[in-house]
Amino acid sequence: MRCLLWVESKAPSASVSPVVGQCTWERVVMKFVRRALPIFHFIADGASWGIGILLVSLLHSDDGSSRFSAAEKWGMFGVTLAALIIAGTIGGLYRSRWRYGSFDEVIALGGTMTVVGIVEALFAVFVIDAPTLVPLTAYLLAMSFSVGGRSAWRLWRSRSRSAKAVEPLVVIGAGEAGEDVVRSLIHDRSARFRPVAFVDDDPLKANLRINGVPVLGTTDQLSVVAQRVGATTALLAIADASSDLRTRVASVATLELLTIRPQHDRFRRVNGQRLERFTEEDLLGRAQVDIDVDAVQAFVRNKSVLVTGAGGSIGSELCRQLSAFGAQRVIMLDRDESGLHATLLSMTGSGQLDDPRLVLADVRDIDRLREVFAEHRPNVVFHSAALKHVSLLERAPEEAWKTNVVGTHNVLTVAKEFDVESLVNISTDKAADPTSVLGWSKRLTERLTAAVAEEVQQRDAGQAVDRRFVSVRFGNVLGSRGSVLTTFREQIERGGPLRVSHPDVSRFFMTINEAAKFSIYAGAIGRCGEVLILDMGRPVKIADLAGLLARGRTPPIPIEFTGLRPGEKLHETLWGRGEEDRRDIHPLVSHVHARSLGWETCEEMYLRHGIHFDPETS
């Protein structure tokens, strides 16, 4: 009788397998069995030799009676047992633990049995004058019994889990990663899932069986296959799956979707406790961009770094990563005191607001910025403070001007006055061919940054000074405050509907971690006046994202299409008209030369036309 105890896992919430415990008495028994395994193995192998010798003596018989006397058979068996225990101990067969039927155990077993067979043959031929075929046949029979017994026991253990204790699982992808997952799940008795079918688009794999699990269809037939085998869960086991494939499998509303991370595929064995739920981040369809960590560390190590907008999603992540990369001091500036408190808490675990690294200030106030720069003398500045909501700024364009444009001008001016080495202005893909107030304001910040870059270059001409004033441009950030994800989750909590502007509207996405890391990398590799743009792969349809979050909910969450809002694009672009895509350093990072725009001209155009003026004609 088996007693199970479900223990709450301390793993992250993404873990999908519980830990299976055992009763104390069963653990004691199993501990004894494990220690006695070498004895059991020796007895089983000895029995294999005994049966083999008995059978071969009966095969070589006259009129049904063995030609060997009992003493000869017992002598052969005794010599065999002595050779078995000596060879098995020296060879490690009875000193090491092996997985039943594994390749390593078969090698150890084969070596031991061969040595025993040679000793047995010498005894049989030279002592009891048996034909050579007798010891050879006995050896083959004993070897077959030993290998077959171990393999049968392993197969029984892997297939004996009750169907009630595990859930059927469809594996998407019959490649190496899928095969590895299936093998691990089959032999992991504590796994929650039992693989029952593959789906794969390779026609050569149709009707193939991998570790006993059949390939029953293609990814387009996922829903049908799952229904056929009674599965409610599927696992995406394709590390480099495209965004289209990820979206397609995620859209199957009747299935819970799991995935494995690339590092699990490459560096460690995947088992039932390392599968993770498929999240909205998996819709990106690409691995996060790798950067030159050494270059980043050299850029910020032992330097004083100031981050504006440090209470925001990207700003707070910037602060955490800058500290991890070795910045001597990270000054956190924001006008939101609660945001600053949360950032400090996430970095130090302390909520003491008297920490001198916390600076309460507004980028609109240039005099206050001068006080801050005079006190802290930063070497590097990351400017992430901004207003970012398209619809709100369409209704209040003056606020976009005051914070995004004037605020950036103030930061640039003070940074120039205090000889800041490097400044990274964080922009957005909406600055490429802008159609909204937000896009126009951020495009102006890119051009203002380029203008100040030219000024500091001219000022430092002939000096051995490498100043970098650059902008970085990327798409929507998954999970940031006020992003589409947080909006959708709040709407789900209220029971829906999920409101999407248009069925075909799409956006580029990246994670908060990736956005912050890329911003720091831009400061390390950017040249003065450039805009650095990350190639984020293919855009994601917002309707697909909504469907992923809404599926499987009870009651069902409806999706409502509201129409494009003023200033909103159907599809975003990363490069504007006339911008050349040059990738000099990193294959996924484009360096674009930004046309400079002086502050006097910018202010004059704003006073004449408002923020809706086209900065490219100025």
Side-chain angles (χ1 to χ4, degrees), residues 265-280:
D265 295 337
R266 295 183 57 189
F267 301 120
R268 53 178 138 172
R269 189 175 203 176
V270 181
N271 60 37
Q273 294 185 8
R274 290 184 182 137
L275 307 183
E276 300 178 15
R277 284 187 172 85
F278 190 94
T279 67
E280 52 275 0

Side-chain angles (χ1 to χ4, degrees), residues 109 135 199 345 368 425 543 567:
L109 179 64
V199 293
L345 196 61
R368 173 63 176 139
N425 168 50

Side-chain angles (χ1 to χ4, degrees), residues 206-220:
N207 301 317
L208 189 67
R209 295 184 76 89
I210 301 174
N211 291 315
V213 179
V215 179
L216 296 182
T218 65
T219 53
D220 289 331

Side-chain angles (χ1 to χ4, degrees), residues 306-325:
L306 183 143
V307 179
T308 71
S313 302
I314 296 177
S316 60
E317 182 64 19
L318 274 171
C319 294
R320 288 186 287 270
Q321 290 196 21
L322 287 165
S323 294
F325 280 127

Side-chain angles (χ1 to χ4, degrees), residues 288-362:
Q288 293 198 23
V289 176
D290 291 327
I291 65 171
D292 185 348
V293 175
D294 292 337
V296 169
Q297 290 178 333
F299 172 54
V300 300
R301 187 185 294 118
N302 299 325
K303 292 183 180 177
S304 177
V305 186
L306 183 143
V307 179
T308 71
S313 302
I314 296 177
S316 60
E317 182 64 19
L318 274 171
C319 294
R320 288 186 287 270
Q321 290 196 21
L322 287 165
S323 294
F325 280 127
Q328 183 182 52
R329 197 159 182 257
V330 179
I331 302 104
M332 296 162 273
L333 183 149
D334 205 301
R335 66 177 182 179
D336 179 0
E337 57 183 357
S338 298
L340 285 176
H341 178 264
T343 300
L344 181 65
L345 196 61
S346 70
M347 292 177 62
T348 66
S350 170
Q352 298 298 321
L353 294 179
D354 57 354
D355 192 308
R357 294 174 297 175
L358 295 184
V359 176
L360 192 62
D362 192 334

